[in-house]
Amino acid sequence: MTDCIFCNIIAGEIPSCKVYEDQEVLAFLDISQTTPGHTLVIPKEHVRNILDMSESTASVLFSRVPKIARAVQKAMDAPAMNIINNNEPIAGQTVFHAHVHLVPRYSENDGINITYSVHEPDFNILGKMAEQIAQEVRA
Ligand code: AMP
Ligand code: ZN
């Protein structure tokens, strides 16, 4: 046993309901089942979150997401899906082994609220922010 729940799931040391597995990626049902079929997709490599992830691990992880998401959608007959990822505690991360949430959605009135409020944009501020970020991407 390690002190990482998801590494223990990968090793088969704690039980999980697996829906997909290959050499590099595992997907299994989330115990919280926010909605029926709520699934987690994880890299087998232990990495804290996407902020810590290499491009190659991200390629491996995200390349599997559409296929697994479509399978969850089809099996659960879900008309829609939120695909969510939380990085660090302020953003709601509670398990520190990177994972992508697939949350099938069945109704707009299911009590799950993922909305972004729209503010009147100040393009001067946005432009400066974009330039700061762009510089870091290039660095
Ligand atoms: P997050 O809050 O984004 O870090 O998500 C962690 C998720 O892991 C939560 O939705 C938990 O319900 C889920 N989780 C924690 N322990 C287990 C477990 N043993 N098997 C399946 N899912 C788990
Ligand atoms: Zn781990």
Side-chain angles (χ1 to χ4, degrees):
M1 285 272 198
T2 71
D3 56 7
C4 172
I5 301 172
F6 290 176
C7 280
N8 294 335
I9 285 177
I10 292 163
E13 285 163 355
I14 58 175
S16 68
C17 296
K18 294 179 186 176
V19 303
Y20 175 82
E21 183 165 21
D22 64 34
Q23 281 208 320
E24 296 159 310
V25 171
L26 178 66
F28 53 96
L29 295 182
D30 189 300
I31 40 167
S32 74
Q33 289 296 286
T34 302
T35 61
H38 179 181
T39 296
L40 300 175
V41 187
I42 68 172
K44 287 192 172 174
E45 177 193 335
H46 178 86
V47 53
R48 180 176 171 90
N49 57 37
I50 290 177
L51 299 174
D52 253 10
M53 197 176 279
S54 66
E55 279 191 21
S56 63
T57 302
S59 304
V60 160
L61 174 64
F62 286 101
S63 70
R64 309 313 196 265
V65 167
K67 180 168 71 174
I68 302 166
R70 280 192 290 269
V72 170
Q73 182 183 32
K74 202 166 169 200
M76 302 307 297
D77 199 18
M81 183 176 293
N82 289 112
I83 298 184
I84 303 163
N85 163 256
N86 303 321
N87 298 274
E88 301 298 334
I90 291 172
Q93 185 176 11
T94 59
V95 174
F96 297 95
H97 181 128
H99 52 279
V100 175
H101 293 261
L102 310 181
V103 183
R105 297 294 300 276
Y106 302 94
S107 155
E108 287 169 16
N109 306 315
D110 57 9
I112 295 168
N113 192 8
I114 301 167
T115 54
Y116 301 93
S117 48
V118 178
H119 304 285
E120 193 59 38
D122 179 332
F123 282 104
N124 197 23
I125 293 173
L126 294 190
K128 284 186 187 135
M129 211 187 292
E131 186 43 40
Q132 281 179 318
I133 296 169
Q135 268 181 28
E136 291 296 338
V137 174
R138 287 192 297 267

